[in-house]
Amino acid sequence: PVSASSTSASPIEHCPGEEAMRACALAFFIVLAPVASVAAHNDEGKAINAVRTPLCRAIVHEMHMEIHKHTLRKDGEDDIYETVPAICLAIVQNYTMRRTPAPERGWQLLKRTVRLDDDEAPDPASFEHIMLLKKACEAFTEEFQHELSGLMYKQSYAQSPSQIEQTFCGAPAVTNSP
């Protein structure tokens, strides 16, 4: 039983001795770390889902530019297939994620006014958003690599990026979160 006076004490104070204190600290970490991890994962999942459709548009736009810039269709679909996951570098360099203000506290995907420079070290919040955008892009391109590759191979010279975006990014498979 825990008395009322002992409830305000830190969990570590209930562990006398150095060895016991280490064991208690480890147990405390083992119990609370998964809870914090699940909460962080849930927030990350919400952020990724919030930018899913705008991210799709950005990926299609950047893919369209890369296909034309490097004439990726000339050797068949393989070059385009390999470009799908690699496009995340262009996404991270040209876009950013921003937290929307309260009360919504959602996420937005925004085109950068200036391309991200490799030489500049971002502040911690910006770095966190860059990593979140990278994860979102990697998850999306992994999920839709085959579809994007085939679509961009067939349509990149027949349609504008906005036409492809309307068709592909508006599809239920893309708009509905996994």
Side-chain angles (χ1 to χ4, degrees), residues 93-108:
Q93 290 174 330
N94 295 311
Y95 295 84
T96 187
M97 287 180 68
R98 185 179 75 182
R99 195 92 152 112
T100 59
E104 294 155 15
R105 297 298 296 162
W107 289 90
Q108 292 178 314

Side-chain angles (χ1 to χ4, degrees), residues 41-176:
H41 183 71
N42 287 342
D43 287 343
E44 186 176 283
K46 287 178 185 176
I48 290 170
N49 288 337
V51 298
R52 192 171 168 86
T53 301
L55 180 60
C56 177
R57 289 188 199 110
I59 289 169
V60 167
H61 180 77
E62 295 294 329
M63 288 279 306
H64 199 277
M65 285 190 342
E66 290 297 310
I67 289 166
H68 285 271
K69 184 177 175 181
H70 300 289
T71 58
L72 294 178
R73 279 192 66 202
K74 71 178 184 277
D75 295 327
E77 190 179 337
D78 287 350
D79 289 342
I80 295 173
Y81 183 83
E82 292 170 8
T83 300
V84 174
I87 206 66
C88 291
L89 176 60
I91 295 296
V92 168
Q93 290 174 330
N94 295 311
Y95 295 84
T96 187
M97 287 180 68
R98 185 179 75 182
R99 195 92 152 112
T100 59
E104 294 155 15
R105 297 298 296 162
W107 289 90
Q108 292 178 314
L109 181 71
L110 303 168
K111 179 96 169 137
R112 291 180 182 276
T113 53
V114 178
R115 186 179 167 112
L116 181 66
D117 186 4
D118 292 339
D119 296 333
E120 291 180 29
D123 61 82
S126 294
F127 183 76
E128 185 178 323
H129 293 175
I130 289 168
M131 294 307 297
L132 186 56
L133 178 55
K134 180 179 180 273
K135 285 181 183 180
C137 186
E138 288 172 345
F140 189 90
T141 57
E142 182 178 311
E143 183 178 352
F144 292 105
Q145 185 168 7
H146 294 288
E147 294 88 343
L148 277 167
S149 174
L151 175 70
M152 297 306 291
Y153 178 72
K154 293 173 188 167
Q155 299 299 323
S156 63
Y157 283 93
Q159 295 183 347
S160 71
S162 58
Q163 290 171 314
I164 298 170
E165 290 167 20
Q166 286 176 350
T167 305
F168 182 72
C169 299
V174 173
T175 59
N176 297 335

